[in-house]
Protein backbone atom coordinates (compact mmCIF):
# COMPACT_ATOMS: atom_id res chain seq x y z
CA UNK A 1 0.00 0.00 0.00
CA UNK A 2 1.48 3.34 -1.00
CA UNK A 3 0.59 6.68 0.52
CA UNK A 4 2.69 8.70 -1.92
CA UNK A 5 0.14 9.66 -4.58
CA UNK A 6 -0.35 13.27 -3.42
CA UNK A 7 -0.94 15.41 -0.36
CA UNK A 8 -4.59 14.45 -0.72
CA UNK A 9 -5.32 10.87 -1.63
CA UNK A 10 -7.95 8.17 -1.42
CA UNK A 11 -7.13 4.57 -0.60
CA UNK A 12 -9.37 1.52 -0.85
CA UNK A 13 -9.03 -0.61 2.26
CA UNK A 14 -10.45 -3.96 1.23
CA UNK A 15 -10.75 -5.43 4.73
CA UNK A 16 -9.79 -5.06 8.38
CA UNK A 17 -6.21 -6.15 7.68
CA UNK A 18 -5.81 -3.32 5.14
CA UNK A 19 -7.12 -0.82 7.71
CA UNK A 20 -4.66 -2.17 10.27
CA UNK A 21 -1.81 -2.00 7.73
CA UNK A 22 -2.61 1.68 7.11
CA UNK A 23 -2.46 2.31 10.86
CA UNK A 24 0.95 0.63 11.11
CA UNK A 25 2.27 2.55 8.10
CA UNK A 26 1.18 5.89 9.52
CA UNK A 27 2.62 4.96 12.94
CA UNK A 28 6.06 4.70 11.34
CA UNK A 29 5.89 8.38 10.33
CA UNK A 30 4.82 9.89 13.67
CA UNK A 31 6.86 12.17 15.93
CA UNK A 32 6.01 14.31 18.97
CA UNK A 33 3.94 17.30 17.89
CA UNK A 34 2.07 15.37 15.18
CA UNK A 35 -1.73 15.36 15.17
CA UNK A 36 -3.95 12.78 13.46
CA UNK A 37 -7.64 13.66 13.01
CA UNK A 38 -9.95 10.70 12.37
CA UNK A 39 -13.31 11.38 10.76
CA UNK A 40 -16.04 8.91 9.90
CA UNK A 41 -19.36 7.60 11.07
CA UNK A 42 -19.79 4.98 13.77
CA UNK A 43 -18.42 1.69 12.46
CA UNK A 44 -16.23 3.30 9.81
CA UNK A 45 -13.03 1.75 11.18
CA UNK A 46 -11.54 4.56 13.28
CA UNK A 47 -10.98 2.34 16.34
CA UNK A 48 -9.48 -0.45 14.21
CA UNK A 49 -6.99 1.98 12.66
CA UNK A 50 -6.06 3.53 16.04
CA UNK A 51 -5.57 0.17 17.72
CA UNK A 52 -3.21 -1.01 14.98
CA UNK A 53 -1.33 2.30 15.03
CA UNK A 54 -0.87 2.30 18.82
CA UNK A 55 0.02 -1.39 19.05
CA UNK A 56 2.64 -0.90 16.33
CA UNK A 57 4.08 2.20 18.03
CA UNK A 58 4.27 0.36 21.36
CA UNK A 59 5.72 -2.79 19.77
CA UNK A 60 3.00 -4.84 21.43
CA UNK A 61 0.48 -6.48 19.04
CA UNK A 62 -1.65 -7.66 21.98
CA UNK A 63 -1.74 -4.33 23.85
CA UNK A 64 -5.17 -3.40 25.14
CA UNK A 65 -6.38 -0.20 23.50
CA UNK A 66 -9.66 0.82 25.07
CA UNK A 67 -11.83 3.44 23.46
CA UNK A 68 -11.60 6.77 25.30
CA UNK A 69 -15.32 7.41 24.69
CA UNK A 70 -16.00 7.84 28.41
CA UNK A 71 -12.58 8.93 29.68
CA UNK A 72 -12.18 11.35 26.71
CA UNK A 73 -8.36 10.96 26.79
CA UNK A 74 -6.28 7.81 26.95
CA UNK A 75 -2.50 8.15 27.23
CA UNK A 76 0.24 5.79 26.04
CA UNK A 77 4.01 5.80 26.41
CA UNK A 78 5.73 4.42 23.32
CA UNK A 79 9.35 4.28 22.16
CA UNK A 80 8.51 7.10 19.72
CA UNK A 81 7.05 9.32 22.45
CA UNK A 82 3.90 9.92 24.43
CA UNK A 83 0.61 9.51 22.59
CA UNK A 84 -2.74 11.00 23.60
CA UNK A 85 -5.81 9.34 22.06
CA UNK A 86 -8.92 11.50 22.36
CA UNK A 87 -12.52 10.64 21.58
CA UNK A 88 -14.50 13.89 21.47
CA UNK A 89 -17.88 12.30 20.68
CA UNK A 90 -19.30 13.35 24.07
CA UNK A 91 -17.59 16.75 24.17
CA UNK A 92 -19.87 19.78 24.04
CA UNK A 93 -17.39 21.95 22.17
CA UNK A 94 -13.86 23.28 22.13
CA UNK A 95 -14.09 25.08 25.50
CA UNK A 96 -14.02 21.73 27.30
CA UNK A 97 -10.70 20.89 25.61
CA UNK A 98 -8.86 23.36 27.82
CA UNK A 99 -9.96 21.34 30.87
CA UNK A 100 -8.43 18.26 29.22
CA UNK A 101 -5.08 20.03 28.82
CA UNK A 102 -5.33 20.40 25.03
CA UNK A 103 -2.44 22.85 24.70
CA UNK A 104 -0.10 20.64 26.74
CA UNK A 105 -1.14 17.53 24.80
CA UNK A 106 -0.03 19.10 21.51
CA UNK A 107 3.62 18.57 22.44
CA UNK A 108 2.94 14.82 22.23
CA UNK A 109 1.54 12.74 19.38
CA UNK A 110 -2.22 13.35 19.39
CA UNK A 111 -4.92 11.21 17.77
CA UNK A 112 -8.41 12.68 17.75
CA UNK A 113 -11.63 10.86 16.93
CA UNK A 114 -14.59 13.16 16.14
CA UNK A 115 -12.39 16.21 15.39
CA UNK A 116 -15.39 18.29 14.33
CA UNK A 117 -15.75 19.07 18.08
CA UNK A 118 -12.42 20.93 17.90
CA UNK A 119 -13.95 23.71 15.76
CA UNK A 120 -11.31 26.49 15.52
CA UNK A 121 -8.82 24.56 17.70
CA UNK A 122 -8.31 22.15 14.80
CA UNK A 123 -4.54 22.15 14.13
CA UNK A 124 -3.84 23.22 10.55
CA UNK A 125 -0.76 20.94 10.31
CA UNK A 126 -2.74 17.78 11.16
CA UNK A 127 -3.14 14.70 9.01
CA UNK A 128 -6.86 14.16 8.47
CA UNK A 129 -8.08 10.66 7.72
CA UNK A 130 -11.73 10.31 6.76
CA UNK A 131 -12.95 6.71 6.71
CA UNK A 132 -16.11 5.66 4.87
CA UNK A 133 -17.68 2.26 4.47
CA UNK A 134 -18.11 1.04 0.91
CA UNK A 135 -21.76 0.17 0.22
CA UNK A 136 -22.42 -3.47 -0.70
CA UNK A 137 -18.83 -4.48 0.04
CA UNK A 138 -18.62 -6.09 3.47
CA UNK A 139 -15.60 -4.79 5.36
CA UNK A 140 -14.24 -2.46 2.67
CA UNK A 141 -13.47 1.17 3.46
CA UNK A 142 -12.35 4.27 1.64
CA UNK A 143 -9.66 6.25 3.44
CA UNK A 144 -9.31 9.88 2.38
CA UNK A 145 -6.01 11.33 3.60
CA UNK A 146 -5.19 15.03 3.52
CA UNK A 147 -3.09 17.63 5.25
CA UNK A 148 0.46 16.29 4.99
CA UNK A 149 2.72 16.50 1.96
CA UNK A 150 3.05 13.27 0.02
CA UNK A 151 6.74 12.88 0.89
CA UNK A 152 5.87 12.98 4.60
CA UNK A 153 3.56 9.98 4.22
CA UNK A 154 6.13 7.92 2.35
CA UNK A 155 8.82 8.07 5.05
Amino acid sequence: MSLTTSSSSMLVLTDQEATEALGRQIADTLHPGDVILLEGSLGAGKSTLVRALLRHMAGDPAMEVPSPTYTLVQGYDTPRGAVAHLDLWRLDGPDALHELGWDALLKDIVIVEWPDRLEDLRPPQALTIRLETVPDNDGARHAHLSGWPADRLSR
Side-chain angles (χ1 to χ4, degrees):
M1 173 184 335
S2 173
L3 301 178
T4 61
T5 56
S6 71
S7 63
S8 179
S9 60
M10 195 275 291
L11 301 171
V12 177
L13 306 173
T14 56
D15 54 21
Q16 181 173 325
E17 175 54 39
T19 302
E20 292 169 348
L22 175 61
R24 290 188 299 270
Q25 188 171 0
I26 291 170
D28 286 336
T29 72
L30 295 176
H31 303 285
D34 286 341
V35 178
I36 305 292
L37 305 176
L38 294 173
E39 301 175 338
S41 62
L42 291 171
K46 297 182 298 293
S47 294
T48 298
L49 190 138
V50 171
R51 280 188 190 100
L53 185 153
L54 287 168
R55 287 172 176 160
H56 186 72
M57 287 186 73
D60 182 356
M63 181 175 80
E64 186 173 337
V65 181
S67 172
T69 300
Y70 295 101
T71 59
L72 302 179
V73 180
Q74 192 74 33
Y76 300 89
D77 290 318
T78 75
R80 299 186 69 113
V83 180
H85 176 203
L86 289 80
D87 184 327
L88 303 182
W89 172 254
R90 297 174 352 110
L91 203 68
D92 292 336
D95 291 341
L97 280 167
H98 297 297
E99 294 176 29
L100 296 175
W102 176 250
D103 294 330
L105 290 175
L106 291 174
K107 71 178 176 20
D108 299 328
I109 297 166
V110 177
I111 303 166
V112 179
E113 295 186 53
W114 304 102
D116 57 311
R117 308 301 202 273
L118 292 170
E119 296 180 14
D120 39 339
L121 292 178
R122 189 180 185 108
Q125 78 283 3
L127 172 63
T128 299
I129 304 169
R130 183 170 39 90
L131 295 169
E132 301 171 336
T133 57
V134 177
D136 301 323
N137 192 337
D138 190 36
R141 308 277 185 266
H142 286 157
H144 302 269
L145 290 80
S146 62
W148 281 359
D151 65 338
R152 169 71 195 272
L153 295 171
S154 62
R155 291 183 197 159

